[in-house]
Amino acid sequence: MHMNDMERRVLKSINTDSVLEYLQEIVSIPSYGGRESSAQRNVAAKLRELGLNVDIWDLDFDTLRSHPGFSMSIQREEGLGVVGTLKGTEKDRSLIFNGHIDTVALGKEENWRHPPLEGIVVRDRIYGRGVADMKGGLCCAIYAAKAIIDVGVKLKGDLSIQSVIGEEDGGVGALSTVLRGHIADAAIVMEPTEGKVAPAHSGALAFTVEVSGRSAHACIREEGVSAIEKFIILFKVLRDLETRRNKGIDDPLYTRYGIPYPINVGTIQGGNWPGSVPESLVFQGRVGVIVGERVKDARRSVEEAIAAETDPWLKENPPRLDWNGYQFDSANIETNHPIVEKVQRAYSDATGKQAQLEGMTYASDMRHLVNTGGVPTVLFGPGDVRQAHTSDEYVEIEGLVTAARVLALTALRFCGYEEP
């Protein structure tokens, strides 16, 4: 490990118990379904407690809707933006730690072995909604900054911690934060990357399809047209399209994945009575947007595939396709950008292991920082996306500590510092 004495002091000052205690605190505050303000106020208070300059504001949804990057599929009565800044002593390179406070809903609580809003520690893991995606990463950023402050190091460049809302349904919080002027020379978004450094992520589009059939009594089923049977045809169409869209993908950042850009059907609602041929069906899904692909081209590929289906009924009664859900562009930066190299080196020095580069198959707020704010950004954080959005969501405690150490070391080296 190649660290100087000051860097070692900062990393040593990261207290695991304190990280876990604060993670338990913010996990206990529900922040799903568009209700994030209580959690945001808690984070703002924590940042003030550390001595950061805190900007907290009300999001103007009406104004944000006019921006081409706007997406918000959950309706909100209010939304708060929170940014805490540790001011540098000089105008050196500035860095952002960005994390979203919102989570998905709890799901069926009977499927959880551990209470989802308590942050239960069991051996080497902590369980709870959002510990991986991504309150854990946000907590690591806060305690990385705290370690720098506690040791008395003065950063030369500004270090900002952004706590944003609405990432799960489109990233309205990150968009507002960028448009408010909170940008920097580089950024790290602490999504669960398994400790890998991700200079790219795919995009994602949500869609809804309405399929029409013709009702009839079940005893004369052949005289009706089942919307469910027509859905089965369309499901195969989408599976074939998924195969075509992923054929020939040779991006070295995505070699681990057999299907780096999946098309998923997530919900189906059809029919209204067991004894009737179903006359309608609605299904919703998600299509992965290839890195560098325009959103309108991803949409067109789905539209054209459905329109090309030759089933006579579907030709005469074309399904209605709407893009009325979330919209996430892809984002990427060069793999040799300084922020990529700084995080890689920090990881190697903090762990003694070689850092891995990999693209993420999920979308994130990185796109707003890169595409709207022009801020070179990487994804790096604790946890595995495979544990996100599930019952008994968890993150390894060792992963939390490692992430906090890497973030602190990256901030020291990217922003520069003066020893006390």
Side-chain angles (χ1 to χ4, degrees):
M1 300 184 188
H2 303 286
M3 292 184 285
N4 60 37
D5 289 342
M6 182 55 63
E7 291 171 343
R8 291 190 183 92
R9 285 179 58 194
V10 170
L11 269 56
K12 188 177 180 180
S13 72
I14 296 171
N15 184 286
T16 302
D17 290 340
S18 296
V19 174
L20 292 175
E21 287 172 8
Y22 186 60
L23 181 52
Q24 289 172 323
E25 182 176 329
I26 56 176
V27 164
S28 72
I29 306 173
S31 53
Y32 55 86
R35 297 180 295 275
E36 302 110 333
S37 294
S38 293
Q40 283 290 74
R41 291 188 182 96
N42 180 285
V43 173
K46 185 68 173 181
L47 297 177
R48 287 195 189 98
E49 178 186 313
L50 298 184
L52 276 62
N53 296 331
V54 176
D55 181 20
I56 182 168
W57 69 96
D58 293 309
L59 273 63
D60 184 346
F61 297 126
D62 291 336
T63 299
L64 290 168
R65 281 189 179 88
S66 64
H67 192 278
F70 175 84
S71 177
M72 187 176 74
S73 56
I74 295 175
Q75 296 305 308
R76 291 171 170 81
E77 295 182 1
E78 67 170 1
L80 296 178
V82 173
V83 176
T85 302
L86 180 61
K87 297 296 293 183
T89 60
E90 304 174 13
K91 290 186 177 181
D92 215 319
R93 292 192 301 189
S94 53
L95 181 64
I96 290 168
F97 292 156
N98 173 286
H100 65 84
I101 197 68
D102 61 302
T103 72
V104 296
L106 306 181
K108 293 183 177 181
E109 292 192 51
E110 59 266 29
N111 291 337
W112 288 74
R113 291 175 299 163
H114 308 289
L117 295 178
E118 293 186 19
I120 298 296
V121 175
V122 180
R123 292 185 292 278
D124 56 354
R125 297 174 177 175
I126 180 169
Y127 292 82
R129 176 57 80 223
V131 293
D133 187 18
M134 61 172 287
K135 291 180 177 181
L138 181 59
C139 193
C140 290
I142 291 171
Y143 277 84
K146 184 178 187 301
I148 292 171
I149 295 167
D150 288 348
V151 171
V153 175
K154 302 295 184 182
L155 296 179
K156 294 181 179 179
D158 293 351
L159 174 64
S160 296
I161 298 176
Q162 300 179 349
S163 181
V164 299
I165 69 167
E167 189 274 347
E168 296 290 355
D169 64 304
V172 65
L175 178 62
S176 174
T177 301
V178 169
L179 294 178
R180 192 170 173 85
H182 289 293
I183 59 176
D185 293 305
I188 302 171
V189 178
M190 293 79 63
E191 289 282 5
T193 65
E194 304 170 74
K196 296 171 182 174
V197 183
H201 71 67
S202 66
L205 298 172
F207 60 85
T208 301
V209 179
E210 297 181 22
V211 186
S212 297
R214 183 172 61 229
S215 62
H217 195 290
C219 70
I220 50 170
R221 178 180 65 80
E222 72 277 10
E223 295 185 19
V225 176
S226 170
I228 292 176
E229 293 178 11
K230 298 308 174 184
F231 159 74
I232 293 171
I233 294 173
L234 294 174
F235 183 80
K236 184 178 184 303
V237 166
L238 293 176
R239 277 289 186 263
D240 290 343
L241 174 62
E242 178 187 73
T243 298
R244 294 196 302 273
R245 284 177 56 79
N246 284 274
K247 186 177 182 180
I249 298 292
D250 59 357
D251 189 331
L253 293 174
Y254 287 90
T255 56
R256 179 161 68 121
Y257 298 95
I259 306 175
Y261 304 105
I263 299 176
N264 180 66
V265 172
T267 70
I268 304 173
Q269 296 177 319
N272 52 37
W273 184 248
S276 300
V277 175
E279 64 181 348
S280 64
L281 180 145
V282 177
F283 69 94
Q284 295 176 307
R286 173 195 185 276
V287 56
V289 179
I290 299 168
V291 172
E293 180 183 31
R294 295 182 301 179
V295 164
K296 66 178 183 180
D297 292 335
R299 287 178 175 170
R300 185 182 300 114
S301 71
V302 177
E303 293 165 354
E304 291 178 349
I306 291 177
E309 172 53 44
T310 58
D311 176 83
W313 176 264
L314 291 175
K315 280 294 184 185
E316 293 182 9
N317 303 271
R320 179 182 173 184
L321 172 62
D322 287 321
W323 300 98
N324 52 5
Y326 54 71
Q327 172 182 308
F328 296 84
D329 293 301
S330 67
N332 67 295
I333 63 172
E334 296 295 329
T335 57
N336 62 353
H337 189 278
I339 188 58
V340 178
E341 296 175 345
K342 290 290 186 184
V343 178
Q344 283 184 285
R345 178 60 64 85
Y347 180 88
S348 297
D349 289 347
T351 66
K353 302 174 184 177
Q354 184 175 357
Q356 297 183 49
L357 283 182
E358 187 171 286
M360 295 296 120
T361 56
Y362 53 77
S364 82
D365 282 334
M366 171 181 169
R367 75 193 190 284
H368 286 312
L369 288 158
V370 173
N371 300 338
T372 303
V375 180
T377 304
V378 296
L379 303 177
F380 172 82
D384 187 334
V385 71
R386 291 162 185 80
Q387 307 305 329
H389 297 200
T390 66
S391 55
D392 282 326
E393 178 180 350
Y394 72 84
V395 66
E396 303 282 351
I397 294 173
E398 181 182 359
L400 290 170
V401 175
T402 295
R405 288 164 60 90
V406 172
L407 291 171
L409 199 53
T410 302
L412 291 170
R413 294 174 175 179
F414 190 84
C415 298
Y417 64 89
E418 299 173 355
E419 296 188 14

